[in-house]
């Protein structure tokens, strides 16, 4: 089990675009989950690669990318990435975790 206790947990991630600085660390960490749009801000995308642009849109975190997504939330200069357990909504990474 990982130190953060997320080994068997299903996680969701979302980005607060109001705080996004467009730095791109998240896209570097997990390009399968994060992508820039034409506005220069990062957004989450689902397993099919569809960008989710509505406020607070959440996507599931693939099991093999959990640590990359958590690291992106921890290292994000805009503190705009939120990662929570899908089952109960408890934040595991991000500014309010």
């Amino acid at each position: 089990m990982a130190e953060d206790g997320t080994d068997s947990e299903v996680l969701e991630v979302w980005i607060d675009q109001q705080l996004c600085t467009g730095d791109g660390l998240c896209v570097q960490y997990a390009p399968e989950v994060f992508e820039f749009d034409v506005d220069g801000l990062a957004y989450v995308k689902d397993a099919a690669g569809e960008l989710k642009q509505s406020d607070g849109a959440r996507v599931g975190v693939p099991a093999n990318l959990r640590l990359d997504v958590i690291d992106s939330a921890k290292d994000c200069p805009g503190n705009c990435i939120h990662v929570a357990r899908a089952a109960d909504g408890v934040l595991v990474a991000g500014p309010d975790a």
Side-chain angles (χ1 to χ4, degrees):
M1 183 188 251
E3 274 183 30
D4 55 25
T6 58
D7 218 68
S8 62
E9 300 285 348
V10 175
L11 301 178
E12 294 180 319
V13 62
W14 67 98
I15 296 176
D16 180 345
Q17 271 74 35
Q18 300 288 333
L19 300 174
C20 181
T21 61
D23 189 83
L25 284 177
C26 59
V27 177
Q28 291 175 17
Y29 274 111
E32 302 88 346
V33 176
F34 304 107
E35 185 175 315
F36 283 121
D37 198 12
V38 293
D39 61 6
L41 302 178
Y43 291 84
V44 293
K45 57 184 179 179
D46 63 20
E50 182 180 332
L51 222 53
K52 300 297 180 181
Q53 296 173 303
S54 59
D55 286 341
R58 298 177 180 211
V59 298
V61 177
N64 64 318
L65 296 174
R66 280 188 189 115
L67 293 179
D68 291 333
V69 169
I70 289 169
D71 286 345
S72 70
K74 289 178 179 177
D75 294 344
C76 176
N79 287 320
C80 64
I81 300 171
H82 305 270
V83 184
R85 293 191 309 229
D88 58 12
V90 172
L91 291 168
V92 297
D96 300 323

